[in-house]
Amino acid sequence: MKKLIDLIADELMQAFEKKGYDGKYGMVTLSNRPDLCQYQCNGALVAAKLYKKAPIMIANEVVDSLKDNKTFDKIEAIMPGFINITLNTAYLAEYLNKMSKAEQYGCEKAENPETIVIDYGGANIAKPLHVGHLRSAIIGESIKRISRYLGHNVIGDVHLGDWGLQMGLIISELKKRQPDLVYFDENYTGEYPKEAPFTISELEEIYPAANEYSKNHPEFKEEAKSATFQLQNGNRGYNALWNHILNVSVSDLKKNYDNLNVTFDLWKKESDAQPYIPDMITYLKENNYTRISEGALVVDVKEDTDTKEFPPCMILKSDGATLYNTTDLATMVERRKLFDPDAITYIVDKRQELYFETVFRCAKKTKLLEEKVKLTFLGFGTMNGKDGKPFKTRDGGVMRLENLIQNINDAVYDKMMENREMSEEEAKGIAKKVGLAALKYGDLSNQTSKDYIFDIDRFISFEGNTGPYILYTIVRIKSILMKYKELTGSDLNDTGSIIPSDIPGEISLMLEASKFNDVIEHSFEENAPNKICQYIYDIANAFNSFYHENKIITQEDKGKQKSWISLISLVQGILETCIDLLGFEAPDRM
């Protein structure tokens, strides 16, 4: 279904052409003065230079050719050459009725679906998720959902960190604590135990203890490096321990991601790229992409257009060891082989921008990826406390993600119980949904690259630009529809059509509803969930203004009432679709 703004533009383009001007000047935008009009066209101002004519003269000619067009209630030329447009509400109502009946409310799927790999999450094995993992997970989940909604083949990959020195540190610490474990017996040839010799709680304590100990004990750090080397070169016992570490960690990670309503199609790891590294390095050398710099193997990625020095991409260190660069390039090779993607999007802290630019350039220069593959670095800003510094616990530590989620759920629960009487079980269930909405909306409503202040009191407010306010609006619509159904016995799926209106609040709500497919498309094109947040805030405001100005349930004009029920049913569907794309859902009551 064509976007409303495009349909309006088609009328203007034809009018420009009819008067002898290039149709491209008929482009239409939303009005920046909604008190004066709904849409505007500024093409006459630009065309004036080419046609050597006063812009107001061109605008008047175009408007004159549209004076009998039933699409518009009012269209006029304004000095120095603006064209102000107000739609006929019959035309607007007809468009909304088509939306109501259309699949996905008229939001069309892509004509040429792309295969897109989205790399998000970025958790490390043997470490708990903390607040620093929040943004990647929920931004990635939303972008994945938006992309799929538009028909693209999307593969979400958590890409776990599991192959560095941290593994050697954990193994060495275990050996220090429990030297008699069978995994450390070089002569053992039997089957290793199926159960891990540690719990997730013990594992999460082992790594920081080992890391801290290694700082003051260089011999222990050397032992950990040796253990890492042995693991990566096939030591049976160490490999069995590594598998235990993976299984225990992934089970815990899945539980925590489930609490965020975040899922992944792939639980790939850094180690999965290791088999691709030897052939990749041979290829780079044989095709003369590499050179030796101070003993290290590097690829020069500086371009002629660079105005400052740009570092080479290091492939191997002087001692022959691989780096993150090596692993990330090999992961691209793996993804090309497995999925042949059209695009790969990385959702990572914005401070990693230079690193990813280096790796991207290397992948394209060396033809590890074809030029057509779109590589996107979507860098996100920091979640800060009220002091403007990265969010911490009260004692200055990094807060675990599960504790952050629980804090929000508890705060919502307490707020609800102040004003509502319901069972503890029901209140906790609702608080979990509202808390997740508060957390996700509080994050996603910001432009991805911007830092923002985490303010739990503001995020859980039922008023203002917050997740709970959006949910409360949906619950209010649900309540109205249920009352209408109870009073009339009507089937809410067959309430008739939306009819033209002269009520300003209703027209505003109709206009907001009509923007749905345009907003979703732009959110996808710009990787911008914040655009959906702004949209649902606008439509929620428009609905609540309409609701306060009109008595829907007690409306005596039954034709008008049915039209209103149809309209708010459409609004409910749009809102629920949008919050699903953001990764949360609404309860039935609050």
Side-chain angles (χ1 to χ4, degrees):
M1 184 173 167
K2 204 161 188 176
K3 293 179 288 187
L4 180 60
I5 197 167
D6 290 342
L7 292 171
I8 301 166
D10 285 348
E11 300 289 350
L12 269 292
M13 288 176 177
Q14 289 172 31
F16 269 89
E17 289 175 357
K18 186 177 176 181
K19 292 299 180 179
Y21 306 109
D22 193 318
K24 69 181 181 183
Y25 297 114
M27 292 302 294
V28 170
T29 60
L30 286 170
S31 171
N32 56 18
R33 287 289 306 275
D35 54 318
L36 298 177
C37 59
Q38 298 163 353
Y39 294 88
Q40 65 188 62
C41 172
N42 302 335
L45 297 166
V46 184
K49 296 176 184 176
L50 177 65
Y51 294 99
K52 295 182 171 52
K53 222 174 195 180
I56 193 64
M57 292 176 65
I58 297 173
N60 276 321
E61 288 178 53
V62 171
V63 166
D64 185 62
S65 73
L66 292 168
K67 62 184 178 184
D68 297 322
N69 191 306
K70 293 183 179 179
T71 302
F72 311 113
D73 180 56
K74 185 179 181 183
I75 182 164
E76 57 183 343
I78 302 293
M79 287 292 290
F82 300 112
I83 299 175
N84 288 357
I85 303 162
T86 300
L87 294 181
N88 184 318
T89 58
Y91 180 83
L92 180 57
E94 182 185 359
Y95 185 82
L96 293 181
N97 286 321
K98 288 178 181 176
M99 276 184 71
S100 297
K101 295 184 177 84
E103 184 182 355
Q104 295 195 160
Y105 305 112
C107 191
E108 295 181 356
K109 292 186 182 292
E111 286 184 17
N112 300 300
E114 296 181 336
T115 296
I116 305 170
V117 175
I118 303 182
D119 187 318
Y120 64 108
N124 289 308
I125 294 299
K127 298 180 185 178
L129 290 177
H130 56 74
V131 293
H133 294 109
L134 176 70
R135 300 211 69 192
S136 178
I138 65 177
I139 293 167
E141 180 69 19
S142 181
I143 289 173
K144 178 186 73 178
R145 291 176 179 225
I146 295 166
S147 304
R148 278 193 182 147
Y149 191 75
L150 291 174
H152 297 285
N153 172 33
V154 187
I155 300 143
D157 184 4
V158 69
H159 196 66
L160 298 170
D162 74 324
W163 204 237
L165 180 60
Q166 71 195 64
M167 292 297 118
L169 286 166
I170 293 167
I171 291 169
S172 298
E173 181 68 15
L174 276 169
K175 189 174 183 179
K176 180 158 69 82
R177 297 182 183 194
Q178 302 181 65
D180 295 332
L181 285 175
V182 68
Y183 308 95
F184 304 120
D185 183 352
E186 294 178 7
N187 300 315
Y188 184 76
T189 58
E191 291 289 320
Y192 290 105
K194 291 184 178 179
E195 291 296 318
F198 42 73
T199 64
I200 184 63
S201 298
E202 290 167 340
L203 185 60
E204 289 176 355
E205 181 272 326
I206 286 170
Y207 172 71
N211 191 43
E212 192 61 33
Y213 188 76
S214 71
K215 292 176 182 177
N216 300 311
H217 296 81
E219 73 287 352
F220 179 77
K221 189 165 189 176
E222 287 306 311
E223 183 183 339
K225 286 181 179 178
S226 174
T228 304
F229 179 82
Q230 291 178 63
L231 168 66
Q232 295 179 355
N233 285 273
N235 182 299
R236 276 186 76 239
Y238 291 2
N239 196 267
L241 272 176
W242 172 67
N243 277 306
H244 284 318
I245 295 167
L246 277 178
N247 292 336
V248 170
S249 292
V250 168
S251 295
D252 187 65
L253 288 170
K254 285 183 177 178
K255 179 187 73 176
N256 281 286
Y257 279 125
D258 282 347
N259 288 334
L260 276 177
N261 199 17
V262 168
T263 60
F264 301 92
D265 304 291
L266 297 177
W267 285 78
K268 285 283 189 180
K269 313 171 293 295
E270 280 181 76
S271 57
D272 290 322
Q274 300 307 306
Y276 295 89
I277 290 177
D279 286 348
M280 181 184 79
I281 291 173
T282 300
Y283 162 81
L284 294 175
K285 287 179 176 178
E286 288 181 350
N287 287 276
N288 298 316
Y289 289 120
T290 59
R291 66 177 176 87
I292 301 298
S293 173
E294 298 180 11
L297 188 72
V298 303
V299 174
D300 288 317
V301 294
K302 188 177 187 300
E303 297 174 355
D304 293 339
T305 53
D306 290 332
T307 56
K308 57 184 178 181
E309 282 302 309
F310 203 94
C313 183
M314 191 182 297
I315 308 298
L316 293 175
K317 292 197 280 190
S318 57
D319 62 1
T322 58
L323 305 93
Y324 283 122
N325 300 11
T326 328
T327 303
D328 279 325
L329 287 167
T331 299
M332 290 178 180
V333 172
E334 180 190 32
R335 286 169 174 165
R336 180 178 182 178
K337 179 182 178 182
L338 296 179
F339 310 114
D340 190 24
D342 299 291
I344 308 174
T345 300
Y346 294 82
I347 299 168
V348 191
D349 188 310
K350 67 182 179 182
R351 290 169 290 191
Q352 297 293 319
E353 185 171 10
L354 177 60
Y355 167 79
F356 276 96
E357 175 66 17
T358 304
V359 173
F360 289 176
R361 286 188 180 192
C362 184
K364 290 297 181 71
K365 178 176 180 177
T366 61
K367 298 181 172 60
L368 291 175
L369 287 179
E370 295 178 55
E371 196 58 42
K372 65 166 186 155
V373 180
K374 183 181 180 184
L375 293 173
T376 300
F377 169 77
L378 190 60
F380 55 80
T382 309
M383 184 178 90
N384 296 326
K386 291 182 181 179
D387 59 359
K389 298 176 181 177
F391 189 81
K392 301 280 187 182
T393 59
R394 288 181 180 176
D395 60 4
V398 178
M399 181 176 282
R400 291 176 68 127
L401 194 50
E402 61 185 311
N403 294 339
L404 179 75
I405 294 170
Q406 192 59 53
N407 287 349
I408 284 196
N409 291 350
D410 290 345
V412 172
Y413 173 81
D414 291 341
K415 192 178 187 73
M416 286 172 55
M417 295 309 283
E418 289 174 6
N419 306 309
R420 289 277 191 276
E421 287 188 13
M422 60 177 73
S423 71
E424 182 178 340
E425 183 180 0
E426 183 185 14
K428 285 187 174 177
I430 294 172
K432 191 173 180 181
K433 289 183 177 180
V434 177
L436 185 61
L439 182 63
K440 286 195 164 187
Y441 189 91
D443 186 297
L444 293 171
S445 58
N446 298 279
Q447 189 176 331
T448 301
S449 62
K450 302 293 185 185
D451 299 344
Y452 74 91
I453 302 295
F454 179 82
D455 184 344
I456 193 167
D457 294 326
R458 182 172 67 82
F459 284 9
I460 67 170
S461 173
F462 284 57
E463 299 175 352
N465 192 6
T466 69
Y469 171 70
I470 304 299
L471 297 194
Y472 190 74
T473 301
I474 295 171
V475 169
R476 174 175 273 169
I477 296 173
K478 286 183 178 182
S479 175
I480 295 168
L481 294 176
M482 285 306 298
K483 283 180 186 174
Y484 176 80
K485 184 177 180 181
E486 289 168 6
L487 289 171
T488 64
S490 299
D491 181 354
L492 292 175
N493 294 319
D494 186 26
T495 55
S497 300
I498 300 167
I499 61 176
S501 172
D502 58 0
I503 300 171
E506 184 179 0
I507 294 170
S508 293
L509 182 57
M510 292 167 75
L511 283 167
E512 290 300 335
S514 72
K515 298 173 187 174
F516 171 72
N517 46 14
D518 191 39
V519 169
I520 302 303
E521 283 188 21
H522 279 97
S523 297
F524 166 73
E525 289 165 2
E526 299 173 32
N527 285 318
N530 61 295
K531 289 187 175 294
I532 294 180
C533 292
Q534 184 59 52
Y535 172 62
I536 57 177
Y537 179 56
D538 290 342
I539 198 171
N541 281 339
F543 165 77
N544 285 309
S545 294
F546 168 71
Y547 167 78
H548 288 301
E549 293 166 3
N550 301 280
K551 304 300 181 186
I552 300 172
I553 295 299
T554 57
Q555 171 59 239
E556 294 181 0
D557 183 333
K558 297 307 174 188
K560 183 178 285 188
Q561 186 184 51
K562 279 187 174 183
S563 174
W564 288 353
I565 293 296
S566 295
L567 175 58
I568 68 171
S569 294
L570 173 61
V571 170
Q572 179 195 343
I574 288 171
L575 285 170
E576 290 188 321
T577 297
C578 287
I579 64 171
D580 181 65
L581 296 178
L582 297 173
F584 55 92
E585 61 180 328
D588 290 325
R589 72 174 186 134
M590 286 169 69

